[in-house]
Amino acid sequence: MPPTWFAYLGPEGTFAEAALSRVVGTSEGRRDPQPSVAAALAAVRSGEADAALVPMENSVEGSVPATMDGLAYGDPLVITREVFLPVSMTLVARPGTALTDVRSVASHPHAIAQSSRWLADHFPGVTPLPTTSTAAAARAVADGEFDAAVCAPIAAERYGLATLVEDISDHPGAVTRFVLVTRPGQLPEPTGNDKTSLVAVVGDRTGALLEMLGEFAVRGISLTRIESRPTRERLGVYSFSLDCEGHVLDRRVGEALAALHRVGDEIRFLGSYPRADERQNKPVPETARDGAFADAEAWLARVREGEAS
């Protein structure tokens, strides 16, 4: 059954809520805002929610460590969809506040970073303060804790705030990638334009990373993202979070993951799902198509049976 109960990084009015609206209609299913990425993922693991919508990476600030680590550890979860949301930073305040009245500004650290130059130019004596989300900053402004917040336009509507400046982003065109995660179950069918995500831990030995990457290269599989994270065991041991083109049901991708399981210290499959960034996967070489794998296996079977090759 498709998910009907969704957790997301809250409170109401976050970019995550806006991204969730692209996945399901506003009248479809129940939506529960959560105070953190960890809480949203925990709601899925406990069965309180069917799925969670959380931020994975931003085109300006990079990956979201809470999501990367939250998927790498704990009971397994899998990504079933990705959503790309254009991010426009809006400066909001209580009605009647003028730009010259602003003495304090708050927002999520990523939002502050994405508008830091504008904030420094217009509020040189103000140090922006971090909050758990852009919507939490907007709610705090509504409660009188801060003069202004950097947030999504949806947050201004939710908390009855006035827009002082519509777009203060230092990098116009910024995009945040969100992922919808569920407990493991039936995989989405291959579409021909898919991604597969996983986390791999390789040993502290010479050539370990090259060995891992080679399993993709020899099968003609392109990586779309690779990042290292500390395993928290000791210095020198890292996990690698990566996305590759293709679906685990594709023979070449399945073989690559099986090979990683054989040579790596630990592999965690994070899902195969339709690609949503409006790009097309690179053409698959003839030698890496499923038919080529089937022909090679049939040839090997004949050789093992003693037939002439």
Side-chain angles (χ1 to χ4, degrees):
M1 291 180 60
T4 58
W5 195 332
F6 300 91
Y8 67 92
L9 176 60
E12 293 183 358
T14 57
F15 286 106
E17 183 185 11
L20 182 58
S21 296
R22 295 192 171 202
V23 176
V24 293
T26 55
S27 62
E28 299 178 42
R30 174 173 172 175
R31 304 178 181 208
D32 280 340
Q34 300 293 325
S36 65
V37 168
L41 298 179
V44 179
R45 288 187 168 111
S46 69
E48 179 183 342
D50 299 324
L53 196 288
V54 292
M56 186 73 168
E57 58 178 324
N58 177 267
S59 60
V60 176
E61 286 301 297
S63 62
V64 179
T67 298
M68 293 179 65
D69 293 344
L71 294 177
Y73 304 103
D75 293 339
L77 295 172
V78 293
I79 300 169
T80 60
R81 286 189 65 174
E82 65 177 6
V83 182
F84 288 81
L85 183 75
V87 176
S88 176
M89 299 300 166
T90 302
L91 185 71
V92 303
R94 291 182 296 280
T97 302
L99 204 58
T100 54
D101 297 329
V102 174
R103 297 292 181 269
S104 59
V105 178
S107 193
H108 186 275
H110 274 200
I112 293 172
Q114 290 178 55
S115 54
S116 60
R117 188 164 56 243
W118 191 97
L119 292 171
D121 288 344
H122 291 80
F123 304 123
V126 175
T127 300
L129 299 173
T131 57
T132 56
S133 70
T134 55
R139 185 170 62 184
V141 169
D143 291 341
E145 297 177 31
F146 306 108
D147 294 331
V150 180
C151 63
I154 189 176
E157 300 171 11
R158 284 282 191 277
Y159 299 105
L161 301 174
T163 299
L164 296 182
V165 184
E166 287 190 351
D167 190 353
I168 64 171
S169 303
D170 294 338
H171 303 276
V175 175
T176 296
R177 176 191 178 207
F178 294 85
V179 292
L180 186 71
V181 301
T182 67
R183 293 180 294 281
Q186 185 173 358
L187 297 173
E189 288 295 320
T191 67
N193 197 46
D194 303 293
K195 283 182 184 176
T196 292
S197 297
L198 65 143
V199 174
V201 178
V202 296
D204 183 13
R205 62 182 187 277
T206 302
L209 177 58
L210 179 61
E211 185 178 20
M212 180 183 75
L213 297 178
E215 299 295 350
F216 294 99
V218 298
R219 296 172 176 84
I221 301 171
S222 294
L223 299 182
T224 60
R225 182 185 63 87
I226 180 168
E227 299 180 58
S228 64
R229 293 288 298 163
T231 59
R232 302 173 182 172
E233 296 176 4
R234 60 183 174 85
L235 285 175
V237 181
Y238 299 92
S239 66
F240 293 89
S241 174
L242 59 88
D243 300 333
C244 70
E245 294 184 348
H247 196 286
V248 69
L249 295 180
D250 298 337
R251 295 287 288 274
R252 63 188 184 131
V253 177
E255 273 204 4
L257 267 59
L260 290 181
H261 188 273
R262 176 174 54 83
V263 302
D265 290 1
E266 183 180 346
I267 304 296
R268 172 167 285 204
F269 173 69
L270 294 182
S272 292
Y273 46 90
R275 189 168 186 167
D277 57 3
E278 299 182 354
R279 297 181 181 179
Q280 294 296 312
N281 287 352
K282 295 176 179 61
V284 179
E286 289 289 341
T287 56
R289 295 183 178 178
D290 283 3
F293 282 97
D295 289 344
E297 288 180 356
W299 172 84
L300 181 60
R302 291 194 300 271
V303 170
R304 287 173 170 172
E305 290 295 326
E307 298 181 17
S309 61

